[in-house]
Amino acid sequence: MSQALFSSLPLPPALLTNLKTIGYQEMTAIQQQSLPLALDGKDLIAKAKTGSGKTAAFSIPMLTKIRQRFFGCQALVLCPTRELATQVANEIRKLARYQQNIKVVTLCGGQPIGPQIGSLAHGAHIVVGTPGRIQDHLRKRTLSLEKVSTLVLDEADRMLDMGFIDAIENIIDHTPDYRQTLLFSATYPKGIRQLSDRFQNEPEEVTVESVHSHQHIAQSFYQADHHEKPEVLHKLLSHFQPASCVIFCNTRQVCKDVGIELYDHGYKPLVLHGDLDQKERDQMLVRFSNNSSNILIATDVAARGLDIDDLACVINYDLSRDPEVHVHRIGRTGRAGKEGLAFTLYTSKEHYKLERVAEILQSELSESDPGHLPKPKTEATKAPMVTLAIDGGRKHKVRPGDILGALTGDAGIAGDQVGKINVFDFVAYVAIKRESARRALSRLEQGKIKGRKFKVRRL
């Protein structure tokens, strides 16, 4: 498909100018296929993965229908996780800059409901949220969906995986029949078809192949029965020493077991699972993305919303039951032309599954002998950064520049020793090179940020 420009679409001139300003000129494959249909008012069922440009594909048609003067909810976007909902809401705000006063409200669990009720009382044109919290607001009657003209189900397959089907059906029942329904999913399990059949009106189907080819990913498959897997995993980590690695397991319990196993070998892995509260989850994702921890162990559901641009390695400790999920997992590495590693462990009973993976990847699989891997080195490599947590955030008017200034000002820490700074409502995290962590902690403990003293701790 040849590249098409946004200017070829029947969009308001102010929207086209804004798209150009934020660097949107050529459409991605999903935008090229879905925008003309969605702008024409059609319902869509679109197969597209994270990073394909799907947010703009559903946001642009949605924004063209918003009536500014009416402050009721006119568009609803359902997402599986808070991270994805936040990401989507931020993208919509950027795209909506061409119109004045378009209010986008994010409604997710793991956050106090009071401030959300306050935001809704002032009106909202677009609501982005997770099914559980949207249901809470519907029960409390703090949200009305009677005037919704666009409903978007983003990463619908993941919402079904997470058991949200009843919540989704209940939410849709609160919306008018005349709405436009846009359904986006990375895979098409049976449940997606049933959802579409029930709630969509003669939907057009759009499919876009994987966001990036796998030519930059070196894949190897190792046969290892359950009792052999921990040793093979240790050998892979020790031999390849990836700068960042996500280890996928099929269950929460296996995640925990692998975490204990690696900890015993001197690693400091992060284990991401559904038992964590939102603050713990945020903290883990920050530590992994800022290079303070180089190993993250997760199930597919727990890894949703994890968007690491530069992931060196993916290890499938368990082979996924669904070959499409396997492709989605390994597609997190080898991005933007960089080389990536993907290792998969499978048991002798699972050999038949490899054929399905080979079929979907359209390539022969490289099966390797775990016996050829060298014995593990004695010491596990440490992550290059350390995270410091500061008990002050956006609500205290703390900004990244304030933290950087407190660290580097007046003969402080050199700027190149400071990594990513993430500021949340009530807490901020700053990554510091390991060798400077002690000095940085001492400097923040003794100094002030924005003229105030805040508690600081090393994670």
Side-chain angles (χ1 to χ4, degrees):
M1 186 181 279
S2 60
Q3 243 6 106
L5 303 176
F6 282 99
S7 53
S8 64
L9 297 169
L11 296 173
L15 174 50
L16 287 170
T17 304
N18 182 47
L19 286 170
K20 206 170 179 181
T21 306
I22 58 179
Y24 283 38
Q25 289 194 323
E26 292 181 340
M27 288 188 266
T28 65
I30 189 68
Q31 291 159 359
Q32 204 170 332
Q33 287 189 49
S34 61
L35 276 169
L37 297 167
L39 287 164
D40 204 23
K42 302 264 198 314
D43 279 9
L44 274 190
I45 177 164
K47 186 174 177 180
K49 295 176 169 50
T50 303
S52 58
K54 60 187 167 70
T55 306
F58 60 71
S59 301
I60 290 170
M62 181 169 81
L63 287 165
T64 60
K65 293 197 286 182
I66 297 292
R67 289 177 291 138
Q68 277 167 285
R69 289 167 188 267
F70 173 61
F71 270 87
C73 174
Q74 298 165 56
L76 173 67
V77 183
L78 290 178
C79 301
T81 64
R82 174 181 157 189
E83 289 87 7
L84 184 66
T86 305
Q87 220 171 297
V88 167
N90 287 338
E91 183 75 8
I92 294 171
R93 287 186 190 105
K94 270 200 304 193
L95 292 164
R97 280 182 202 150
Y98 77 100
Q99 298 183 76
Q100 282 188 324
N101 302 327
I102 293 293
K103 193 169 170 197
V104 183
V105 170
T106 313
L107 305 177
C108 300
Q111 293 174 315
I113 200 165
Q116 295 179 354
I117 292 171
S119 289
L120 289 170
H122 291 103
H125 296 104
I126 298 166
V127 169
V128 184
T130 49
R133 183 49 62 93
I134 298 290
Q135 268 197 306
D136 293 341
H137 284 284
L138 290 173
R139 270 196 295 270
K140 289 178 182 289
R141 304 200 171 182
T142 46
L143 172 66
S144 166
L145 302 178
E146 287 173 5
K147 302 290 184 191
V148 165
S149 58
T150 311
L151 169 71
V152 179
L153 304 179
D154 193 13
E155 301 205 354
D157 51 346
R158 293 300 146 218
M159 290 198 280
L160 298 195
D161 279 353
M162 292 164 83
F164 283 137
I165 183 68
D166 292 342
I168 291 168
E169 291 183 347
N170 174 255
I171 291 163
I172 297 176
D173 285 338
H174 282 79
T175 63
D177 290 340
Y178 61 73
R179 67 172 192 273
Q180 180 182 26
T181 306
L182 307 174
L183 189 155
F184 286 76
S185 185
T187 57
Y188 278 177
K190 193 173 147 199
I192 293 290
R193 292 279 172 212
Q194 290 168 341
L195 200 61
S196 173
D197 290 347
R198 186 169 166 202
F199 293 110
Q200 290 191 293
N201 177 28
E202 297 178 7
E204 297 277 354
E205 210 163 297
V206 169
T207 299
V208 171
E209 284 316 303
S210 180
V211 175
H212 69 298
S213 76
H214 295 96
Q215 66 190 35
H216 295 294
I217 303 172
Q219 273 206 88
S220 297
F221 292 77
Y222 293 90
Q223 185 175 315
D225 286 323
H226 292 296
H227 67 281
E228 299 167 322
K229 282 185 176 185
E231 181 62 14
V232 177
L233 176 64
H234 186 200
K235 282 179 173 180
L236 286 169
L237 290 172
S238 175
H239 179 57
F240 291 98
Q241 297 190 348
S244 55
C245 176
V246 174
I247 299 171
F248 283 104
C249 306
N250 288 347
T251 68
R252 186 183 301 179
Q253 189 54 51
V254 175
C255 283
K256 291 178 180 176
D257 294 345
V258 172
I260 292 164
E261 193 76 43
L262 289 182
Y263 195 85
D264 289 345
H265 283 304
Y267 294 94
K268 298 283 192 296
L270 300 171
V271 182
L272 198 59
H273 54 74
D275 290 344
L276 301 172
D277 65 29
Q278 194 61 49
K279 189 178 174 186
E280 291 171 313
R281 184 180 163 84
D282 286 342
Q283 201 177 90
M284 276 194 191
L285 294 179
V286 162
R287 286 174 64 194
F288 186 67
S289 67
N290 72 13
N291 292 325
S292 298
S293 182
N294 47 10
I295 298 172
L296 183 75
I297 304 166
T299 58
D300 294 297
V301 168
R304 291 320 283 183
L306 172 68
D307 197 23
I308 308 296
D309 295 332
D310 198 5
L311 185 58
C313 176
V314 167
I315 297 178
N316 296 302
Y317 189 82
D318 293 324
L319 183 58
S320 171
R321 299 175 186 95
D322 180 345
E324 287 204 25
V325 170
H326 175 89
V327 174
H328 195 56
R329 284 177 178 182
I330 65 167
R332 291 171 178 274
T333 185
R335 288 186 174 181
K338 291 189 174 155
E339 298 301 317
L341 295 172
F343 304 118
T344 300
L345 310 186
Y346 66 95
T347 65
S348 49
K349 289 179 181 171
E350 291 178 310
H351 199 275
Y352 73 95
K353 289 185 188 174
L354 298 191
E355 288 169 24
R356 291 167 64 207
V357 171
E359 204 176 294
I360 207 161
L361 287 170
Q362 296 179 333
S363 67
E364 281 190 31
L365 304 184
S366 159
E367 293 183 50
S368 306
D369 182 350
H372 292 160
L373 289 167
K375 276 202 164 92
K377 297 179 177 68
T378 47
E379 217 171 297
T381 48
K382 287 181 174 167
M385 309 297 274
V386 166
T387 297
L388 303 181
I390 300 158
D391 284 351
R394 275 194 292 259
K395 299 286 185 190
H396 307 99
K397 305 282 190 285
V398 171
R399 294 169 310 191
D402 302 322
I403 296 168
L404 185 63
L407 284 164
T408 59
D410 297 337
I413 306 258
D416 63 3
Q417 296 294 294
V418 184
K420 279 190 184 175
I421 299 174
N422 297 81
V423 181
F424 291 85
D425 282 351
F426 298 101
V427 66
Y429 302 103
V430 55
I432 305 285
K433 291 245 175 94
R434 188 169 286 278
E435 61 270 23
S436 299
R438 193 170 291 174
R439 269 183 63 219
L441 178 63
S442 159
R443 189 167 174 84
L444 289 176
E445 282 175 333
Q446 288 162 25
K448 291 182 177 181
I449 300 169
K450 272 293 209 359
R452 287 180 60 181
K453 271 198 171 296
F454 290 102
K455 273 188 185 167
V456 187
R457 65 194 184 282
R458 176 175 171 157
L459 297 180

